[in-house]
């Protein structure tokens, strides 16, 4: 490396026209959320007894979890396999995952009929339920992600706690707490990092198991006992493209120069993963003979082809091309396609494939549902912006050659 | 990565492993019962006998405290113009279908929870709010439910319904096989009220025998199949009909219990927490090796 | 339960009726254990085999001689007892399975009360048979539903208002005397068929009933009210339309099926002729004219059912099996022999004991012959 990369809070103006739009979208979601909490889920969603799950589960939860996979794939790469060069992406990926899982948790909270009992899975256990496993894993993993985030907080505030006025007496104890946390975390952080990866593999796959029990209610193109494996591999495969996607997006939005070298190295790993995913998908189709459903033209077959061709086959070819890997635009397109493919796959699995008996009408999300989901994404982006501006997350070249920081997570010591 | 030395690493790993194993031993095993018990009860619905008077709908609502019109209003047969499903306002409904054998005697089919022998809802529920009782009933516990509606996704008969219009304490609504009544030695309300005894309440094994007898005695009258005897591992409610069940809007289901594959996967991943712990250990060692290598290089 | 005002329906009291025809057991060629489970059945404990009893033989009085009505009552809260017009229904059932349609699994003995098999309680140990309420409703509603497309209770049950009680004496004679108008029976029906040879089939409806002794349900197994009545016209008032010809729309195979019960082994040409057939005449068809005694008999008196209407031995003894000259009373032939002739041996007049030939007086008399001179008095 020519420069020493160092995570630094980005100093920029917070309010931009884009931010205003996001704020409006967030506000719009709040209005619909108020309706949901005062008048019940039925008042503003298109859910019914035949379609119990809508986009709040398919997008907020399923896509949210899948697209936050960058957190654990990068952790595995950077911390466990210990590739130094990917250090710079660790923090942005961590933030994405943390925000992603927060988004998932809030999505679930809104969707639950009895949101105030969201903690029940902690005390009422049902080992046979994949949802229980997903729920518990997501709860623990979100906690783990927050713990992993703590060193960033301590780094930001140790020696900088400076409360004004009446609260100033807290400055000393707070600093002490931060220092204590800092020391404790340095010894145990590896446990949380490994736990994060294990928990992720567990619930990423169990998210696939969720729909297996729907049995014949699922379209055969998607219904397969290997769904958990497909979900896990697609989650791993979408991890790096998601990091590429969001790094390129963030660097453009924040006016930074993207770390193309790191990103194209990340991209190099995507191709093989997509090959494995596609292979399993095709072998599974061949064994179950479900390719016959592709001969008929209907929503299911079209959505399936879109998902596989746009989301897997085209980006697969692109990620094997050096030209793509070195071009900012093409890499962005390839990464977006994979992200889109997984997004579509989750929607297909949870909504398109789900064809319950006795359905009086087809499910299509209501304006309220769409507003809430979009509003949450807007809030997510806003929070990301706030965090990178306030905490040392994004690494920028540091000409001053500051001393290395203490943890791998925020750099190296000694 | 910042662990100070190998001792730290071991110490923490051990603690964590012990912790997870501790949790796993507390974890409930699958809630499946050891096969249907001898006193497993059921109801045999003979659709060839049902006259579509809908007294059962009325009795069900009155028993469960759901609002209902007076029984005289149930004579109105225009409700049969549309096919209905049990929902949060009616735990059971009767639908009417054309009878190809005799156009003047339409087939009436009562629909409610089938009370599966191996219920998908019991297996799927995130908090275990559903219980399969040894007597046959599948009931729902309002104190546990969080309203996630996964039971509705899982149910192969698409039976549980949800009070979407309630902002607070919405309930999952489905037939509870009159669990409270049967506990007191009473018949389920619908069975008690049925004027033609199209619903026969009794021991499930006995009901299967009776159903077989009826088919054998009147092979012209009955379609030779007992719905619920084998479907998805069997259901407590059984159906006889004079025509193909597919024409009566019953879903086509195999013999394998609905939660079978899912539970197999779950138990595969979580057999005594060995796979997750093994993965943890594996990742730990990889991390350790890479870490030492790196340290060595740096030194 | 305060929610539970539950509709049970009715109970039947049959006990007040006794039927005129008691079946005499020793006349029936049946093993005891076909009906009874114990060695010595008594009136109080007939120890009958549980329903269903597939092998059972039954005998019923005619629809005319059964009870006119009976009242299904007891334990009623929502509705008054049901007055069941038994005679009317029995008459109607003549073409829909007969008495058996309701009195299924009855034994040879007295007509059993429904509650002998059907429990009055819904919650019971033996659930293989419907309970009493269900048994009634199942019997009634199959027809009533087809008839009216309704299942309103009030077509049979009068709704109870207040503490109103049911008074048997107030049952109108209109109800007790209600009968079904006699069904018009055709004499003969000529079917035009598509056959090249034997285009016409002449079916002598009256002869099949009167001579061959078939009852309605032998052919009309599953006729329904709506086979004759148009339910659409019934709906709009009390005017029933009776003109719908029965059995016109049945298929060719079904039509043949009804005849094949007896005519299974007959040639097509038995029925299919090129011209209209003459009514059945025993002497023409068999060459053996029936004398006036035999004419009175039903075919089945000689032609036992199990052998069908096959040719019989011409000998008297082939039918009159227990006959011998000591016990024979010549009076049954319509001729009471006088004191002298009664002492003779049969073969004195009936030469070679050939009873089909005209008897001869030549053994004793030269100047007398039969039938101008009779050896006694003619009686009826």
């Amino acid at each position: 490396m020519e420069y020493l990369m160092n995570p630094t809070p980005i100093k920029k103006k917070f309010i931009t026209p884009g931010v205003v739009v996001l704020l409006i979208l967030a506000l719009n979601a709040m209005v619909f959320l108020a309706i949901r909490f005062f008048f019940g889920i039925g008042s503003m969603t298109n859910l019914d007894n035949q379609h119990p799950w809508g986009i709040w589960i398919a997008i907020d939860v399923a896509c949210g979890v899948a697209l936050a996979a960058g957190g654990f794939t990068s952790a595995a790469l950077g911390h466990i396999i210990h590739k130094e060069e990917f250090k710079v992406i660790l923090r942005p990926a961590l933030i994405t995952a943390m925000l992603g899982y927060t988004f998932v948790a809030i999505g679930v909270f809104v969707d639950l009929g009895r949101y105030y009992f969201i903690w029940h899975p902690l005390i009422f256990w049902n080992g046979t339920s994949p949802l229980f496993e997903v729920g518990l894993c997501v709860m623990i993993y979100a906690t783990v992600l927050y713990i992993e985030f703590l060193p960033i907080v301590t780094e930001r505030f140790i020696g900088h706690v400076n409360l004004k006025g009446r609260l100033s007496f807290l400055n000393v104890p707070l600093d002490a707490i931060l220092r204590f946390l800092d020391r404790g975390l340095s010894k145990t952080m590896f446990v949380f990092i490994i736990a994060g990866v294990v928990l992720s593999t567990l619930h990423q796959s169990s998210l696939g198991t969720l729909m297996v029990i729907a049995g014949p209610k699922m379209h055969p193109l998607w219904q397969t006992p290997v769904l958990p494996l497909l979900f896990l591999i697609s989650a791993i495969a979408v991890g790096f493209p998601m990091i590429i996607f969001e790094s390129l997006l963030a660097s453009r939005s924040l006016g930074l120069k993207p770390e193309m070298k790191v990103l194209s190295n990340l991209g190099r790993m995507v191709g093989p993963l997509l090959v494995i995913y596609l292979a399993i998908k095709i072998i599974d189709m061949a064994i179950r003979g479900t390719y016959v459903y592709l001969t008929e033209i209907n929503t299911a077959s079209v959505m399936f082809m879109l998902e596989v061709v746009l989301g897997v086959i085209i980006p697969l070819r692109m990620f094997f091309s050096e030209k793509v890997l070195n071009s900012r635009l093409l890499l962005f397109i390839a990464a977006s396609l994979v992200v889109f493919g997984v997004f579509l796959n989750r929607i297909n699995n949870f909504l398109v494939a789900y064809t319950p008996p006795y359905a009086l009408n087809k499910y299509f999300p209501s304006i309220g549902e769409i507003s809430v989901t979009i509003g949450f994404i807007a809030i997510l982006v806003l929070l990301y912006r706030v965090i990178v501006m306030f905490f040392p997350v994004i690494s920028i070249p540091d000409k001053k050659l500051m001393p290395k920081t203490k943890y791998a997570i925020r750099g190296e010591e000694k | 990565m910042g662990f100070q030395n190998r001792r730290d690493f071991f110490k923490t790993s051990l603690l964590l492993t012990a912790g997870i194993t501790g949790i796993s031993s507390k974890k409930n095993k699958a809630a499946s019962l050891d096969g249907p018990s001898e006193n497993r009860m059921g109801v045999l619905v003979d659709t060839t006998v049902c006259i579509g008077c809908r007294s059962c709908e009325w009795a069900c609502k009155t028993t469960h405290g759901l609002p209902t019109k007076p029984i005289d209003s149930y004579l109105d047969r225009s409700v049969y113009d549309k096919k209905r499903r049990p929902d949060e306002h009616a735990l059971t409904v009767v639908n009417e279908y054309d009878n190809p054998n005799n156009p003047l005697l339409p087939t009436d089919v009562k629909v409610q929870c089938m009370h599966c022998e191996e219920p998908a809802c019991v297996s799927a529920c995130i908090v275990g709010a559903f219980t399969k009782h040894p007597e046959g009933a599948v009931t729902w516990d309002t104190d546990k439910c969080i309203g996630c509606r996964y039971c509705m996704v899982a149910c192969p008969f698409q039976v549980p319904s949800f009070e979407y219009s309630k902002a607070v304490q919405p309930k999952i609504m489905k037939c509870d096989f009159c669990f409270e009544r049967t506990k007191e030695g009473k018949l389920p309300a619908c069975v008690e009220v049925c004027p033609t005894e199209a619903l026969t309440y009794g021991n499930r094994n006995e009901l299967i025998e009776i159903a077989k007898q009826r088919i054998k005695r009147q092979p012209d009258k009955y379609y030779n199949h007992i719905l619920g005897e084998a479907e998805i591992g069997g259901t407590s409610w059984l159906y006889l009909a004079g025509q193909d069940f597919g024409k009566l809007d019953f879903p086509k289901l195999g013999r394998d219990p609905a939660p079978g594959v899912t539970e197999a996967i779950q138990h595969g991943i979580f057999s005594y927490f060995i796979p997750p712990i093994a993965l943890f250990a594996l990742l730990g060692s990889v991390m350790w090796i890479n870490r030492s290598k790196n340290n060595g290089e740096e030194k | 339960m305060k929610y539970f005002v539950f509709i049970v329906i009715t109970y039947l009291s049959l006990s007040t009726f006794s039927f005129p025809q008691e079946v005499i057991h020793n006349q029936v060629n049946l093993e005891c254990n076909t009906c009874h489970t114990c060695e010595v059945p008594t009136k109080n404990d007939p120890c009958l085999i549980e329903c269903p009893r597939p092998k059972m033989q039954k005998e019923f009085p005619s629809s005319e001689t059964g009870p006119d009505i009976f009242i299904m009552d007891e334990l009623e809260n929502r509705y008054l007892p049901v007055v069941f017009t038994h005679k009317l229904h029995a008459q109607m059932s003549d073409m829909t399975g007969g008495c058996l349609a309701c009195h299924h699994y009855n034994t040879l003995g007295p007509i059993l009360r429904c509650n002998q098999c059907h429990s009055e309680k819904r919650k019971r140990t033996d659930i293989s048979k419907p309970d009493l309420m269900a048994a009634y409703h199942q019997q009634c509603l199959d027809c009533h539903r087809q008839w009216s497309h309704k299942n309103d209770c009030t077509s049979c049950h009068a709704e109870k208002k207040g503490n109103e009680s049911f008074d048997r004496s107030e049952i109108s004679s209109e109800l007790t005397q209600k009968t079904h108008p006699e069904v018009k029976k055709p004499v003969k029906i000529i079917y035009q068929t598509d056959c090249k040879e034997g285009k016409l089939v002449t079916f002598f409806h009256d002869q099949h009933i009167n001579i061959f002794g078939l009852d309605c349900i032998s052919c009309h197994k599953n006729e329904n009210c709506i086979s004759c009545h148009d339910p659409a016209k019934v709906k709009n008032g009390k005017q029933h339309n009776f003109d719908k010809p029965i059995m016109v729309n049945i298929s060719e195979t079904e039509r043949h099926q009804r005849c094949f019960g007896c005519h299974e082994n007959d040639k097509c040409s038995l029925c299919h002729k090129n011209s209209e057939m003459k009514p059945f005449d025993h002497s023409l068809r068999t060459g053996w004219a029936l004398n006036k005694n035999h004419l009175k008999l039903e075919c089945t008196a000689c032609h036992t059912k199990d052998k069908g209407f096959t040719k019989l031995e011409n000998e008297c003894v082939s039918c009159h099996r227990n006959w011998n000259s000591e016990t024979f009373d010549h009076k049954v032939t319509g001729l009471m022999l006088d004191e002298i002739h009664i002492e003779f041996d049969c073969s004195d007049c009936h030469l070679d004991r050939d009873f089909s030939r005209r008897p001869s007086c030549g053994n004793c008399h030269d100047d007398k012959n039969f039938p101008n001179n009779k050896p006694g008095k003619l009686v009826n």
Side-chain angles (χ1 to χ4, degrees):
Chain A
M1 262 181 276
E2 297 161 43
Y3 301 101
L4 190 57
M5 301 297 289
N6 218 12
T8 319
I10 311 293
K11 298 276 177 271
K12 273 209 84 180
K13 210 177 110 198
F14 184 77
I15 303 289
T16 63
V19 170
V20 173
V21 172
L22 291 176
L23 277 172
I24 291 169
L25 288 173
L27 212 64
N28 177 44
M30 292 303 144
V31 174
F32 282 105
L33 276 179
I35 299 175
R36 179 256 171 272
F37 281 109
F38 281 113
F39 302 103
I41 297 174
S43 61
M44 47 89 50
T45 65
N46 280 347
L47 299 176
D48 55 36
N49 287 329
Q50 277 65 47
H51 301 94
W53 283 358
I55 54 165
W56 287 353
I57 295 292
I59 296 180
D60 298 22
V61 177
C63 296
V65 168
L67 299 183
F72 90 95
T73 49
S74 64
L77 193 69
H79 293 309
I80 293 175
I81 302 177
H82 213 279
K83 295 270 186 202
E84 282 287 329
E85 58 166 317
F86 297 117
K87 218 173 59 189
V88 292
I89 56 148
L90 288 178
R91 282 190 176 184
L94 171 68
I95 300 301
T96 320
M98 188 184 83
L99 290 176
Y101 276 87
T102 310
F103 169 66
V104 167
I106 296 172
V108 168
F109 183 79
V110 169
D111 186 72
L112 284 184
R114 300 172 166 193
Y115 45 88
Y116 38 84
F117 285 155
I118 195 168
W119 48 274
H120 269 188
L122 289 173
I123 53 163
F124 300 118
W125 288 20
N126 182 13
T128 57
S129 168
L131 189 62
F132 167 72
E133 192 215 318
V134 171
L136 217 55
C137 280
V138 168
M139 281 192 208
I140 300 172
Y141 185 51
T143 315
V144 166
L145 284 171
Y146 283 113
I147 293 172
E148 288 183 29
F149 178 67
L150 269 181
I152 301 176
V153 180
T154 58
E155 177 188 325
R156 169 73 176 74
F157 284 112
I158 287 176
H160 298 279
V161 181
N162 188 16
L163 295 169
K164 300 267 158 57
R166 279 180 158 191
L167 291 169
S168 57
F169 71 95
L170 285 171
N171 284 347
V172 177
L174 271 178
D175 197 63
I177 290 171
L178 288 173
R179 280 171 202 277
F180 170 76
L181 276 174
D182 194 43
R183 256 171 294 139
L185 285 169
S186 69
K187 286 188 182 172
T188 49
M189 187 49 75
F190 76 97
V191 172
F192 294 112
I193 287 165
I194 303 174
V197 176
V198 174
L199 287 166
S200 290
T201 53
L202 289 179
H203 73 257
Q204 290 286 2
S205 58
S206 289
L207 213 53
T209 323
L210 275 192
M211 294 309 277
V212 171
I213 202 165
K217 299 201 292 191
M218 282 271 279
H219 193 284
L221 278 173
W222 288 278
Q223 175 63 289
T224 158
V226 299
L227 260 184
L229 188 61
L230 288 171
F231 265 59
L232 178 62
I233 292 175
S234 58
I236 296 173
V238 82
F240 300 141
M242 190 64 198
I243 293 170
I244 296 170
F245 175 80
E246 118 204 11
S247 296
L248 290 173
L249 214 58
S251 58
R252 188 177 161 83
S253 156
L254 298 168
L256 303 169
K257 192 169 163 283
E259 279 297 319
M260 275 308 287
K261 194 162 165 259
V262 178
L263 296 184
S264 53
N265 277 342
L266 272 183
R268 250 177 267 282
M269 284 178 277
V270 178
L273 286 170
L274 286 176
V275 170
I276 298 173
Y277 176 70
L278 190 64
I280 295 177
K281 196 137 182 151
I282 289 172
I283 292 169
D284 173 61
M285 277 188 87
I287 290 173
R288 292 182 307 115
T290 48
Y291 43 82
V292 295
Y293 294 99
L294 292 177
T295 55
E296 49 196 74
I297 304 249
N298 51 31
T299 321
S301 61
V302 169
M303 290 299 270
F304 185 85
M305 286 317 288
L306 272 180
E307 169 198 328
V308 173
V309 174
L310 276 184
V312 184
I313 295 174
I314 294 178
L316 182 131
R317 176 68 195 83
M318 289 178 83
F319 274 115
F320 276 114
S321 147
E322 276 303 315
K323 194 181 148 213
V324 172
L325 290 174
N326 292 319
S327 149
R328 204 191 286 190
L329 178 68
L330 288 175
L331 189 63
F332 181 74
I333 291 172
S336 312
L337 281 175
V338 177
V339 170
F340 172 74
V342 170
F343 180 80
L344 206 56
N345 173 262
R346 298 307 192 257
I347 287 182
N348 281 346
N349 266 298
F350 281 84
L351 298 180
V352 177
Y354 187 73
T355 42
Y358 318 117
L360 297 171
N361 27 36
K362 284 208 153 187
Y363 168 77
F364 193 84
S366 70
I367 293 175
E369 288 175 87
I370 297 171
S371 299
V372 168
T373 297
I374 290 180
F376 278 158
I377 295 171
I379 294 170
L380 198 71
V381 175
L382 286 173
L383 280 175
Y384 186 90
R385 197 176 165 88
V386 169
I387 289 174
V388 297
M389 286 187 171
F390 199 64
F391 289 102
V393 173
I394 295 183
S395 298
I396 49 171
D398 188 350
K399 284 166 193 156
K400 280 188 277 173
L401 287 175
M402 273 174 67
K404 286 181 187 175
T405 40
K406 206 168 170 189
Y407 311 113
I409 240 179
R410 62 177 199 206
E412 283 295 315
E413 195 188 29
K414 282 165 228 165
Chain B
M1 170 69 6
F3 45 90
Q4 261 50 37
N5 50 43
R6 294 179 187 184
R7 241 184 53 217
D8 260 355
F9 185 87
F10 275 125
K11 227 163 50 186
T12 334
S13 305
L14 273 173
L15 270 171
L16 202 91
T17 316
I20 292 176
T21 328
I23 292 165
S24 74
S25 61
K26 267 188 277 170
K27 188 153 185 163
N28 296 340
K29 282 285 284 171
S32 65
L33 300 149
D34 308 328
S37 73
E38 275 305 301
N39 51 7
R40 177 66 51 88
M41 303 303 274
V43 168
L44 175 64
V45 185
D46 192 335
T47 60
T48 65
V49 171
C50 178
I51 56 166
C53 68
R54 294 168 60 223
S55 301
C56 46
E57 290 185 23
W58 174 83
C60 179
K61 284 185 179 176
T62 4
T63 303
H64 291 93
L66 294 166
T68 169
K69 288 183 194 159
I71 183 141
D72 295 326
S73 68
Y74 282 74
L75 289 173
D76 174 19
R77 292 184 80 81
S78 64
V79 289
Y80 288 131
D81 297 344
K82 264 196 274 175
K83 298 281 177 279
R84 300 172 304 150
R85 292 292 301 164
D87 58 20
E88 61 271 30
H89 312 296
L91 309 185
T92 183
V93 292
V94 181
N95 283 323
E96 195 161 89
Y97 299 86
D98 289 338
N99 179 0
N101 306 324
N102 183 349
L104 292 164
L105 274 184
T107 308
D108 295 294
V109 183
K110 178 183 183 291
V111 193
Q112 74 297 308
C113 172
M114 298 289 284
H115 298 276
C116 304
E117 292 295 289
E118 291 179 56
C121 54
V122 173
S123 172
C125 181
I126 180 167
V127 286
F130 285 95
T131 314
K132 174 76 179 173
H133 296 274
E135 302 83 15
V138 176
T139 59
W140 169 84
D141 182 356
T142 184
D143 294 334
K144 288 184 179 174
C145 181
I146 63 170
C148 73
R149 308 189 294 285
Y150 188 35
C151 48
M152 299 162 71
V153 173
C155 177
F157 294 98
Q158 201 67 43
V159 163
S161 48
F162 179 74
E163 293 183 314
Y164 282 105
S165 54
K166 275 199 190 169
V168 178
Q169 282 299 78
K171 292 198 282 285
I172 293 290
M173 302 288 277
K174 74 168 201 71
C175 160
D176 61 354
F177 211 160
C178 282
F179 186 66
E180 293 304 318
R181 287 175 59 89
T182 50
K183 218 162 56 181
E184 293 168 16
K186 289 193 211 155
L187 290 167
C190 51
V191 174
E192 187 171 85
V193 84
C194 179
T196 57
E197 205 172 44
L199 313 169
T200 313
Y201 176 80
N203 182 290
R204 186 174 179 271
N205 295 336
E206 206 179 328
L207 289 176
I208 290 173
E209 281 315 305
I210 289 170
K212 282 181 180 161
Q213 285 256 321
R214 288 193 197 171
I215 294 174
K216 199 173 142 197
R217 237 186 292 145
Q218 287 171 289
D220 299 336
K221 184 176 173 189
Y222 290 104
Y223 181 73
N224 188 11
H225 181 74
I226 307 167
L227 186 117
E229 184 190 3
E231 273 82 3
I232 54 160
T235 57
S236 288
W237 280 60
L238 306 159
Y239 279 78
L240 279 177
Q243 53 176 310
D244 188 349
F245 285 98
K247 301 250 166 62
L248 303 177
D249 281 351
F250 283 96
K252 249 198 148 44
L253 296 168
R255 301 169 76 96
D256 297 327
V261 180
T262 305
E263 290 194 5
I265 294 170
Q266 284 298 100
H267 292 160
I269 297 177
F270 283 101
S271 45
Y272 300 101
F273 265 83
I274 290 168
I277 292 169
L279 180 63
F280 193 95
L282 179 77
L283 289 176
S285 2
V286 169
M287 192 171 179
W288 187 29
I289 289 164
N290 283 330
R291 175 75 198 148
S292 334
K293 218 174 12 184
N294 233 317
N295 277 354
E297 280 166 17
E298 272 182 34
K299 275 168 194 169
Chain C
M1 289 271 287
K2 79 170 175 189
Y3 292 126
F4 242 91
V5 191
F6 90 91
I7 13 160
V8 184
I9 316 296
T10 44
Y11 288 95
L12 150 73
S13 59
L14 244 179
S15 51
T16 47
F17 303 104
S18 62
F19 290 100
Q21 288 180 336
E22 277 279 332
V23 177
I24 298 143
H25 275 70
N26 56 20
Q27 282 185 348
V28 190
N29 190 16
L30 262 184
E31 295 289 327
C32 302
N33 63 13
T34 314
C35 304
H36 302 281
T37 53
C38 57
E39 290 285 323
V40 192
T42 63
K43 197 158 191 173
N44 290 331
D45 179 21
C47 63
L48 291 166
I49 284 176
E50 276 285 291
C51 288
R53 316 185 179 104
K55 283 185 186 164
M56 214 83 341
Q57 286 195 9
K58 310 98 186 172
E59 212 145 288
F60 293 101
S62 78
S63 53
E64 309 298 327
T65 51
D68 294 336
I69 56 160
F70 51 69
I71 295 150
M72 304 167 164
D73 58 0
E74 289 173 47
L75 192 99
E76 212 19 74
N77 43 25
R78 201 174 138 75
Y79 297 103
L80 292 172
V82 170
V83 178
F84 177 69
T85 49
H86 182 272
K87 187 188 270 179
L88 176 70
H89 282 85
Q91 286 169 334
M92 291 190 288
S93 78
D94 280 347
M95 283 210 277
T96 52
C99 306
L100 271 176
C102 296
H103 298 280
H104 54 196
Y105 310 129
N106 202 70
T107 58
L108 265 179
I111 307 255
L112 296 173
R113 297 173 56 154
C114 301
N115 63 9
Q116 216 142 17
C117 291
H118 296 285
S119 158
E120 294 177 13
K121 287 206 178 84
R122 168 93 6 135
K123 195 169 165 69
R124 59 199 189 274
T125 44
D126 178 16
I127 48 171
S128 63
K129 303 180 287 275
D131 72 347
L132 191 60
M133 174 171 92
Y136 285 150
H137 281 135
Q138 287 187 19
Q139 290 289 17
C140 304
L141 280 161
D142 255 13
C143 288
H144 279 248
R145 279 172 82 200
Q146 297 187 59
W147 181 238
S148 66
H149 278 288
K150 282 191 217 150
N151 38 30
D152 55 330
C153 313
T154 47
S155 55
C156 301
H157 300 270
E159 199 144 2
K160 194 172 188 171
K161 293 175 185 106
N163 282 332
E164 196 181 348
S165 67
F166 183 75
D167 188 355
R168 274 160 195 268
S169 59
E170 275 180 19
I171 300 170
S172 68
S173 61
E174 199 190 321
L175 218 50
T176 54
Q177 298 308 316
K178 200 170 182 179
T179 54
H180 190 269
E182 203 186 332
V183 178
K184 285 179 221 153
K185 297 180 190 117
V187 176
K188 65 178 176 191
I189 303 163
I190 300 162
Y191 294 98
Q192 296 273 355
T193 68
D194 297 334
C195 303
K196 275 185 189 155
E197 194 61 28
K199 213 173 183 175
L200 294 180
V201 175
T202 320
F203 174 69
F204 289 94
H205 192 275
D206 63 336
Q207 288 199 328
H208 277 81
I209 299 168
N210 301 331
I211 300 184
F212 309 136
L214 298 179
D215 45 19
C216 308
I217 49 171
S218 317
C219 298
H220 299 276
K221 283 198 180 68
N222 280 314
E223 299 303 348
N224 203 297
C225 307
I226 53 163
S227 309
C228 305
H229 301 279
D230 191 343
K233 296 197 178 166
V234 179
K235 253 188 191 169
N236 305 331
K238 290 211 162 172
Q239 200 57 47
H240 294 183
N241 176 14
F242 308 111
D243 302 333
K244 199 174 153 194
I246 200 166
M247 284 175 74
V248 266
N249 290 326
I250 60 173
S251 67
E252 188 187 313
T253 31
E254 209 179 325
R255 196 176 288 148
H256 278 102
Q257 218 69 53
R258 306 220 178 185
C259 302
F260 283 168
C262 301
H263 295 287
E264 197 177 16
N265 299 318
D266 292 325
K267 288 177 189 159
C268 303
S269 59
L270 180 75
C271 304
H272 288 270
K273 308 273 189 208
N274 288 322
S275 58
E276 196 185 320
M277 231 171 24
K278 293 240 158 51
F280 177 80
D281 183 324
H282 205 274
S283 64
L284 274 178
R285 182 71 63 83
T286 67
W288 196 72
L290 296 174
N291 61 24
K292 63 171 186 183
N293 291 312
H294 286 108
L295 211 47
K296 284 187 209 153
L297 294 172
E298 283 184 11
C299 308
T300 48
C302 306
H303 303 275
T304 49
K305 274 235 168 91
D306 46 328
K307 282 187 185 158
F309 294 93
T310 50
K311 195 185 165 198
L312 299 173
E313 296 285 329
N314 229 347
E315 300 292 316
C316 299
V317 284
S318 58
C319 290
H320 301 276
R321 260 177 228 139
N322 296 325
W323 177 85
N324 62 55
S325 35
E326 265 84 63
T327 56
F328 181 70
D329 183 357
H330 205 278
K331 201 164 66 180
V332 299
T333 68
L335 180 82
M336 189 162 76
L337 295 173
D338 58 26
E339 286 163 15
I340 302 158
H341 286 93
I342 206 162
E343 299 296 329
F344 292 167
D345 188 67
C346 306
S347 56
D348 290 344
C349 303
H350 300 284
L351 301 177
D352 302 330
R353 294 177 84 92
D354 182 351
F355 300 100
S356 58
R357 273 167 53 192
R358 193 200 296 176
S360 153
C361 309
N363 268 353
C364 303
H365 309 279
D366 294 329
D367 53 339
K368 306 220 165 137
N369 63 10
F370 188 83
N372 295 336
N373 305 100
K374 295 185 179 69
K377 269 203 304 207
L378 284 178
V379 289
N380 282 322

